[in-house]
Amino acid sequence: MYKTPDIRGLYIPVQPTVKQSAERVTYQEFLPVRALQGFIYCYWQLRTTAPLDEPFLYRVVADGCIDIFFELHNPSENFVMGFCKRYTEFPLENSFDYVGVRFLPTMFPQLFKINASELSNRFENLNLVVPGTARFIASAFDPGLSPDEIKRRLDDYFLHLAAAIDFNPDPRLYGALAVILQNFGVLNVEKDLDTGLSARQLRRLFEYYIGDSAKTFSQVVRFQNILRAKPSQQSLRENKLFYDNGYYDQAHFIKEFKNLYGVTPGRAFGK
């Protein structure tokens, strides 16, 4: 299998832990087999441990990734969610068991030869995008499977798929990605991404493999770096956070954070 660029070593996409009805909703991530860790960041499961008193609103923050997901009780309905430049809210029932596959940036287009920009800022029935994978999910999953068994079936499928692909990494694209990730998204895209690509070539590659421009991806990476840092209330009060992360003023920081997360930094990191 082709050795993939080390995006995992440079980037950890974070989704906030579930707070609402937390005692009856669990979210966990588990690693794929090592040979797939260059393609897939994690498998995940979001489920209720008992029926809730009311429907559940699940918020997904911008993370730069593309996900496949399905409900174990109805795996024939499976979906792909593209790169999103803002948060997304999913109204769920009061009982559910969702499983997902989160691909590292650029890897869904590499595996499936799909233009990521065609999926951006929305989710789509997987059958319309990758029908073979949609059929596999519909036939291979049912309620009650353990996380270990879910992982085994996903590992087996994606190992077979990855072994058959013609992986085609453009070193200029992955060089630009490395600069963005090493700088935690805090950079001047026009000046700092000197990788031998014209602005037009750079945009075309980022739209195909990421789903949006290098500038938008950098904004998401910067936001994700703040989430990982889990800033204290003191650092928020002292207005240090937005200066350290390249924002030109507090209003800009709050507006961009709220667009990517769904609430203000104060609410997101509040006790």
Side-chain angles (χ1 to χ4, degrees):
M1 190 182 298
Y2 189 91
K3 188 178 187 305
T4 55
D6 186 27
I7 296 175
R8 172 181 290 279
L10 296 172
Y11 189 51
I12 302 171
V14 173
Q15 286 295 329
T17 53
V18 174
K19 292 180 181 177
Q20 178 189 358
S21 304
E23 71 281 0
R24 284 181 280 171
V25 178
T26 65
Y27 172 80
Q28 66 179 128
E29 297 178 352
F30 33 109
L31 281 173
V33 68
R34 181 175 292 276
L36 290 171
Q37 289 178 18
F39 293 100
I40 295 170
Y41 176 70
C42 70
Y43 305 133
W44 55 262
Q45 188 169 20
L46 175 75
R47 58 186 289 267
T48 49
T49 55
L52 308 177
D53 297 330
E54 56 188 16
F56 185 77
L57 189 65
Y58 183 56
R59 182 189 296 128
V60 178
V61 305
D63 65 7
C65 299
I66 294 177
D67 283 51
I68 285 172
F69 64 97
F70 56 94
E71 221 282 357
L72 274 181
H73 290 86
N74 188 15
S76 61
E77 287 191 11
N78 40 66
F79 305 92
V80 55
M81 183 168 180
F83 174 96
C84 290
K85 60 183 178 183
R86 68 189 308 273
Y87 75 96
T88 308
E89 288 185 333
F90 289 93
L92 306 180
E93 302 296 325
N94 66 344
S95 180
F96 49 83
D97 193 347
Y98 279 94
V99 169
V101 182
R102 182 164 302 134
F103 296 89
L104 284 160
T106 75
M107 293 304 164
F108 186 91
Q110 291 282 12
L111 283 168
F112 297 109
K113 311 304 179 191
I114 299 292
N115 186 335
S117 66
E118 295 176 2
L119 302 170
S120 292
N121 304 304
R122 66 191 185 93
F123 65 95
E124 180 64 87
N125 284 296
L126 188 60
N127 187 53
L128 299 177
V129 182
V130 193
T133 302
R135 287 192 297 271
F136 154 71
I137 291 171
S139 63
F141 293 92
D142 48 70
L145 291 176
S146 68
D148 284 346
E149 183 59 23
I150 291 168
K151 169 183 152 53
R152 188 189 68 75
R153 296 183 188 194
L154 291 171
D155 277 347
D156 287 350
Y157 178 78
F158 285 109
L159 279 170
H160 181 75
L161 182 74
I165 69 157
D166 176 23
F167 188 73
N168 181 32
D170 187 318
R172 300 168 302 173
L173 167 67
Y174 286 101
L177 269 179
V179 171
I180 291 170
L181 297 174
Q182 287 163 354
N183 286 279
F184 307 110
V186 183
L187 74 166
N188 183 314
V189 168
E190 286 77 21
K191 294 179 180 177
D192 297 338
L193 291 186
D194 183 17
T195 58
L197 289 166
S198 68
R200 185 176 177 183
Q201 288 174 315
L202 186 72
R203 183 169 192 95
R204 181 177 59 81
L205 284 170
F206 266 79
E207 286 184 346
Y208 186 93
Y209 287 104
I210 294 287
D212 211 306
S213 68
K215 183 177 181 180
T216 300
F217 180 68
S218 298
Q219 289 172 346
V220 171
V221 170
R222 175 168 63 171
F223 161 73
Q224 280 283 322
N225 183 52
I226 293 169
L227 285 192
R228 281 196 309 281
K230 296 181 180 176
S232 66
Q233 289 296 298
Q234 182 179 358
S235 67
L236 289 171
R237 282 196 302 270
E238 292 174 351
N239 297 336
K240 183 173 167 52
L241 189 66
F242 64 84
Y243 286 127
D244 288 350
N245 284 278
Y247 295 95
Y248 51 80
D249 63 31
Q250 187 182 40
H252 176 222
F253 165 56
I254 292 173
K255 180 180 179 182
E256 186 170 295
F257 187 96
K258 190 173 180 182
N259 184 55
L260 295 167
Y261 193 110
V263 299
T264 63
R267 281 195 61 193
F269 301 117
K271 303 299 182 193

